[in-house]
Structure formats: C-alpha cells, structure tokens
Amino acid sequence: MKKSFKVGDHVGWNSEAGHVRGRITKKITSAIKFKTYTVRASKEEPQYLIKSDTTDHLAMHKGAALTKLRRKP
C-alpha cells in the first residue's frame, strides 16, 4: 500500500543532517523543476513539497520517504 499525504500533514524524514520534521505545503502530481533538478512526479507517484519546522528550507520527497507524525495536543 502506497503512503498518501495531504497539504498540512506534519511529517518526518531522514536527511544527511539527521531527522527532519516539517509540514507539507504542496502535493506535486506532474514533472516540475525544483532547485537544480527535475522532479518526476505523477498522479500515481506524487511527491510532496515540505517546509522544515526549524528553518525556511524546502524539500521535495516521495511518500515512501515520509512518516506522518502525530499532532501535539
């Protein structure tokens, strides 16, 4: 079963710098340019634009790389 997320979901992922957390700001369903590379997303294999919780850094990831985090009360 593929992981599916929506805008506003709080997610975490592993990066070279360690564990990162952020909020999904956009679901990408077609090929686009992001920074210096082409993101080959599709409706069947979307990718997600995520803004880090601690910095203004934006990242793009496939759903398989993300883990949905529980909201704090």
Side-chain angles (χ1 to χ4, degrees):
M1 185 172 152
K2 294 180 185 177
K3 294 181 182 179
S4 182
F5 301 94
K6 63 183 186 305
V7 172
D9 283 350
H10 194 226
V11 296
W13 68 97
N14 291 327
S15 76
E16 299 83 23
H19 296 282
V20 183
R21 295 172 178 224
R23 292 226 178 261
I24 293 177
T25 60
K26 189 172 186 179
K27 182 177 180 178
I28 310 299
T29 58
S30 62
I32 64 164
K33 289 279 190 185
F34 179 72
K35 297 185 179 180
T36 60
Y37 59 93
T38 300
V39 174
R40 303 197 188 285
S42 67
K43 289 182 181 179
E44 297 77 25
E45 291 286 338
Q47 292 202 30
Y48 301 92
L49 181 63
I50 308 153
K51 183 180 180 297
S52 169
D53 284 347
T54 56
T55 67
D56 286 333
H57 180 77
L58 294 174
M60 186 80 65
H61 290 291
K62 293 180 179 182
L66 302 174
T67 302
K68 189 170 181 179
L69 302 175
R70 293 170 58 191
R71 293 180 187 252
K72 292 182 181 179

